[in-house]
Amino acid sequence: LWELGVFNNATVTAPATITLPLFELQTDIYDFGTRRAKSIQSLEFGIDHTGVLQVKIEYRQKIASAFAATNWYTIDSRAVKPLNCYGYEFRFLFKAAASGWGHLDYMRVNGRVHDH
């Protein structure tokens, strides 16, 4: 049994149902241009997606140490997530809870750099 679908005027066939994979994104390592300690207070997203979206932060406090991580948190309907995290370097992970189409325009990290 073959299913047939049309996407952007292209015909695709498959031996089984075609499913979209879950959207997942992991950034590179960010130190925001300074080796000082930083506190992240919230994340904001410019996103076009109607499903449930989640975010977590991986962080470390020494370059040679392993990354620790926050839990996964659901982003609210305004595409904002208050999320406190302290560290020197960060990676940001983002995922959709269900398959679907979406478009990420930007991610804004709100926080502060410490004097020490």
Side-chain angles (χ1 to χ4, degrees):
L1 179 66
W2 291 79
E3 289 201 19
L4 180 66
V6 177
F7 303 99
N8 294 330
N9 298 325
T11 302
V12 178
T13 62
T17 301
I18 299 171
T19 58
L20 295 173
L22 295 178
F23 173 73
E24 294 186 15
L25 173 78
Q26 177 180 319
T27 69
D28 201 356
I29 299 169
Y30 283 91
D31 69 0
F32 301 102
T34 180
R35 297 307 307 152
R36 293 181 180 174
K38 287 145 298 264
S39 290
I40 294 173
Q41 297 162 332
S42 67
L43 303 172
E44 298 178 31
F45 299 91
I47 186 87
D48 179 18
H49 191 280
T50 57
V52 175
L53 302 170
Q54 296 180 313
V55 65
K56 79 175 178 178
I57 302 172
E58 292 182 342
Y59 59 95
R60 64 182 172 189
Q61 296 174 356
K62 294 181 182 177
I63 294 173
S65 65
F67 278 91
T70 66
N71 293 323
W72 284 103
Y73 293 99
T74 300
I75 298 169
D76 70 19
S77 61
R78 299 175 302 131
V80 175
K81 180 60 195 167
L83 182 57
N84 293 311
C85 186
Y86 174 87
Y88 288 79
E89 294 182 324
F90 305 90
R91 287 190 300 221
F92 301 93
L93 291 82
F94 182 76
K95 70 179 181 177
S99 296
W101 296 102
H103 184 263
L104 178 64
D105 292 320
Y106 67 87
M107 179 180 75
R108 179 176 294 133
V109 178
N110 301 307
R112 65 186 186 126
V113 176
H114 300 281
D115 289 334
H116 57 292

